[in-house]
Amino acid sequence: MSSQIPHITILGSLNTDLVAYVPHHPLPGETLTATSFLTSPGGKGSNQAVACAKLSRPRDLSSPSAHVSMVGAVGSDSNGDLLLSNLATHGVDSSLVTKLPNKKTGIAMIVVEAETGQNRIIISGEANHQVGEEYVTQGGWLDKTDLLIMQLEIPMGTVLEAVEEAKRRGVDVLLNPAPAKILPDGVYDGLRHLIVNETEAAILGGVEEKELDTLEGLERVGKGFVGKGVENFIATLGGRGVFYLTKGGRSGLIEAEKGVKVVDTTGAGDTFVGRYALEAARARKEGGEFDVGGAVGRANKAAAVTVTREGAARSIPWRDEVE
Ligand code: ADP
């Protein structure tokens, strides 16, 4: 590993996705026949690790622009083995993913509506529930990390401990609070990057989702988080694009890529986080000023590729597919 490239660590979930494609979402009591079905590696943590790794290098894994590690847990079943080999295939260091005896690997049941590409998801966390606070310090990985990425699919206590420990050690944190849960205000104080989608922005910002339909509403919510200490607030808005607001007062609404044929939006948010994280980690490593607008623009372009393909991890593009 070159010490010149930034080190990104993802502390989070690994799930096996069971994905059914349907003509429409089932109504209460309705039984539907899926038009197709696939099993694939997933989990927000694992997907964001794969996104960072794939977007940092071409398909032959040569010349990566970042070192990417995953910290988490799988069960001692074949699903766990598949998740570990999926990380390795994409160039993610999985040496700190623990294989837990007598536990099952996390599962996500995903239903995708063919017409709109919209998904509905049920998660059973399993081994992810076992990722306790001791995972934050084991192996000393925080000391080698330039940017720590987390979501909320592992126990909240672990996430809060990691945020505090990272702050103590001066490690940048990118928090993607998904699925949305109310967080203590202290989390936002000094948080370098907060990336939310519309649902998360509304729940955590304490507003109705329709308030985010206007630029004024987005600015109001963004200012709320910046007021609590967030340095860079980013809200992804699906087919509308992305809004960002920084502590220094920079802000913008970047439109989604036009003419995109949406097939399956699963993984779009994770792709966005991965591409943005590569820019954030590089700026951190090089010590220069972070161009938030530039990072958001590149992430927006990468996520637009993901929505044109089926699946989660496999729909995320390699670096040479977006440049
Ligand atoms: P999540 O999947 O986490 O809910 P979003 O739906 O907000 O996230 O999508 C994340 C990003 O993916 C968007 O900000 C945008 O960059 C891209 N994206 C999503 N839907 C589309 C679309 N219909 N056309 C182009 N880009 C899209």
Side-chain angles (χ1 to χ4, degrees):
M1 178 194 37
S2 160
S3 59
Q4 299 310 309
I5 61 174
H7 196 134
I8 300 174
T9 305
I10 295 86
L11 169 61
S13 60
L14 300 107
N15 288 324
T16 300
D17 288 349
L18 309 176
V19 194
Y21 293 88
V22 294
H24 62 87
H25 285 296
L27 300 168
E30 184 181 10
T31 300
L32 265 183
T33 302
T35 46
S36 62
F37 175 82
L38 65 92
T39 303
S40 68
K44 289 225 157 258
S46 166
N47 286 347
Q48 290 178 15
V50 168
C52 290
K54 284 182 86 173
L55 289 158
S56 76
R57 66 198 78 195
R59 192 181 291 272
D60 65 6
L61 304 186
S62 64
S63 61
S65 65
H67 183 88
V68 183
S69 305
M70 172 96 209
V71 180
V74 293
S76 53
D77 48 18
S78 58
N79 283 344
D81 294 338
L82 284 173
L83 279 158
L84 289 171
S85 74
N86 173 60
L87 292 177
T89 302
H90 295 111
V92 178
D93 176 354
S94 62
S95 53
L96 285 171
V97 177
T98 309
K99 206 171 165 186
L100 296 168
N102 305 317
K103 293 284 176 218
K104 284 185 279 187
T105 299
I107 292 279
M109 286 163 276
I110 304 177
V111 181
V112 182
E113 189 175 69
E115 182 91 339
T116 60
Q118 269 182 349
N119 57 43
R120 292 186 182 182
I121 305 175
I122 298 170
I123 290 173
S124 186
E126 311 293 342
N128 297 304
H129 291 312
Q130 309 299 317
V131 179
E133 291 179 25
E134 68 280 8
Y135 280 66
V136 177
T137 46
Q138 72 175 21
W141 56 267
L142 254 181
D143 293 329
K144 297 178 213 132
T145 299
D146 295 297
L147 178 72
L148 165 61
I149 305 179
M150 287 185 291
Q151 316 76 28
L152 301 181
E153 288 182 350
I154 57 169
M156 182 66 95
T158 306
V159 173
L160 300 181
E161 175 60 22
V163 167
E164 285 314 306
E165 197 57 41
K167 281 181 196 165
R168 275 195 286 273
R169 295 173 194 230
V171 176
D172 277 2
V173 176
L174 186 166
L175 185 63
N176 173 227
K181 293 181 192 97
I182 299 297
L183 298 162
D185 275 357
V187 168
Y188 300 117
D189 190 14
L191 184 66
R192 187 78 74 178
H193 312 281
L194 179 70
I195 302 186
V196 290
N197 67 12
E198 284 168 287
T199 310
E200 292 141 15
I203 294 173
L204 298 174
V207 299
E208 296 280 326
E209 214 168 307
K210 65 174 185 312
E211 273 201 51
L212 306 171
D213 289 348
T214 64
L215 187 58
E216 295 71 37
L218 288 164
E219 277 170 351
R220 208 166 33 247
V221 170
K223 280 180 182 155
F225 287 109
V226 169
K228 288 179 181 175
V230 172
E231 215 160 294
N232 299 299
F233 168 79
I234 291 101
T236 63
L237 309 169
R240 287 165 63 208
V242 197
F243 171 76
Y244 70 92
L245 178 75
T246 73
K247 194 172 155 190
R250 276 177 289 167
S251 74
L253 183 61
I254 297 184
E255 279 188 30
E257 294 290 293
K258 295 235 175 352
V260 174
K261 166 100 183 64
V262 179
V263 173
D264 177 3
T265 61
T266 312
D270 298 329
T271 303
F272 185 93
V273 168
R275 188 64 188 86
Y276 176 95
L278 289 169
E279 294 298 317
R282 186 168 60 87
R284 170 73 191 183
K285 185 83 178 174
E286 290 173 0
E289 208 199 325
F290 176 46
D291 172 14
V292 189
V296 166
R298 289 187 187 94
N300 187 45
K301 282 200 168 66
V305 175
T306 299
V307 301
T308 65
R309 305 169 175 183
E310 285 190 357
R314 69 182 196 156
S315 69
I316 298 164
W318 294 93
R319 185 175 73 193
D320 48 330
E321 293 180 286
V322 282
E323 279 171 8

